[in-house]
């Protein structure tokens, strides 16, 4: 897999931040900053040769939008998906949560195009609306899949908060094959990982898992506190939250650890390249 330039990922974060600043300070469901974020991501993907579509839904009295991008080619009966929620909470720009996941998935998709990657499996990249209101967009997507389309999905990789300022390196403990791909990547870096234990109902992989799709993903931590043992192996600050700006107005571009963002972006690309063959 190619190395994902973290500078490119950070450029997307800067765009998300300026979009929030130009739209009332957030990128929340039902607010103009969300649709502006989606339009930015879609424009990048269209220019790179993806087939994109916007799936509309309604929730909490507003229209929500999922962005679905298909990379032409591959076996339509073997679809590998990678996704992230694109919405923030209304209190701020949502750069770690979840600009980081959204930007890393976008940059990986752009790396696929740059490489002219033609894997055996079909690649689909998604950005979900209204995750913060209860995983609404991803649940809507899964609920509206035909049984054939659902059966074609070989795996869904989820990325929600992957650049926390006081990061942990957590791997979802769901599908064993997917988990191993991530763990092997981190073993190659000499970085220890732990299993993610905040609970499967906490992000957009939940709907896929409930539908029987193999899932996996990465997470760098939210409001829980980093222990002394975790600080000893990962660095950072014991006794402090992994992300002290979780769901706060201070979740800006300065609320991101670039090493964690770089490692997780590279892990994402590694997983896509490995699992799609
Ligand atoms: N609920 C997510 C943040 C979150 C909390 N625990 C986990 C575990 C795995 C992924 C994400 C999360 C949010 O606020 O968007
Ligand atoms: Ca990199
Ligand atoms: Zn959140
Ligand atoms: Zn999130
Ligand atoms: Zn899990």
């Amino acid at each position: 897999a190619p190395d994902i330039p973290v500078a490119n990922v950070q450029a997307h974060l800067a765009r998300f931040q300026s979009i929030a600043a130009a739209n009332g300070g957030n990128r929340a469901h039902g607010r103009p900053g969300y649709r502006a974020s989606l339009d930015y991501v879609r424009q990048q993907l269209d220019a790179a040769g993806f087939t994109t579509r916007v799936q509309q839904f309604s929730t909490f009295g507003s229209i929500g939008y999922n962005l679905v991008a298909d990379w032409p080619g591959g076996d339509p009966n073997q679809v590998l998906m990678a996704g992230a929620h694109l919405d923030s909470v209304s209190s701020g720009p949502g750069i770690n949560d979840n600009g980081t996941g959204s930007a890393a998935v976008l940059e990986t998709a752009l790396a696929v195009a740059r490489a002219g990657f033609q894997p055996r499996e079909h690649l689909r990249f998604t950005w979900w609306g209204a995750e913060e209101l209860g995983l609404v967009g991803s649940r809507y997507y899964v609920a509206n899949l035909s049984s054939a389309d659902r059966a074609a999905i070989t795996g869904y990789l989820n990325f929600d908060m992957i650049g926390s300022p006081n990061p942990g390196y957590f791997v979802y403990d769901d599908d064993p094959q997917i988990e191993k791909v991530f763990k092997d990547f981190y073993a190659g870096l000499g970085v220890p990982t732990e299993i993610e234990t905040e609970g499967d109902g906490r992000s957009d992989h939940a709907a896929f898992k409930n539908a029987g799709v193999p899932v996996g993903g990465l997470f760098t931590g939210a409001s829980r506190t980093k222990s002394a043992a975790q600080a000893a192996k990962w660095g950072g600050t014991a006794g402090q939250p992994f992300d002290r700006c979780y769901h706060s107005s201070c979740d800006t571009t300065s609320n991101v650890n670039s090493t964690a963002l770089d490692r997780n972006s590279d892990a994402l690309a590694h997983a896509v390249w490995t699992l799609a063959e």
Side-chain angles (χ1 to χ4, degrees), residues 85 97 131-132 160-161 172 196 198 202 219 246-247:
H85 75 86
D97 180 22
E131 186 273 348
E132 301 286 8
D160 183 358
M161 301 179 72
Y172 293 14
E196 185 280 307
E198 293 215 12
R202 295 291 303 267
F219 178 56
Y246 176 61
H247 286 185

Side-chain angles (χ1 to χ4, degrees), residues 48-90:
F50 283 82
T51 304
T52 63
R53 69 183 173 90
V54 176
Q55 180 184 45
Q56 277 195 8
F57 58 90
S58 177
T59 194
F60 288 87
S62 299
I63 305 286
Y65 308 92
N66 294 325
L67 176 61
V68 180
D70 285 281
W71 180 239
D75 180 354
N77 295 309
Q78 308 258 320
V79 180
L80 178 65
M81 293 183 67
H85 75 86
L86 185 59
D87 63 310
S88 74
V89 291
S90 54

Side-chain angles (χ1 to χ4, degrees), residues 172-174 196 199-200 205 209 215:
Y172 293 14
D173 181 29
D174 297 295
E196 185 280 307
D200 284 341
H205 59 305
K209 185 172 184 177
V215 304

Side-chain angles (χ1 to χ4, degrees), residues 71-75 112 116-123 272-273 275-277:
W71 180 239
D75 180 354
V112 164
F117 187 38
Q118 285 296 331
R120 191 177 53 75
E121 297 198 6
H122 177 79
L123 297 178
V272 167
W273 258 256
L275 292 166
E277 279 306 352

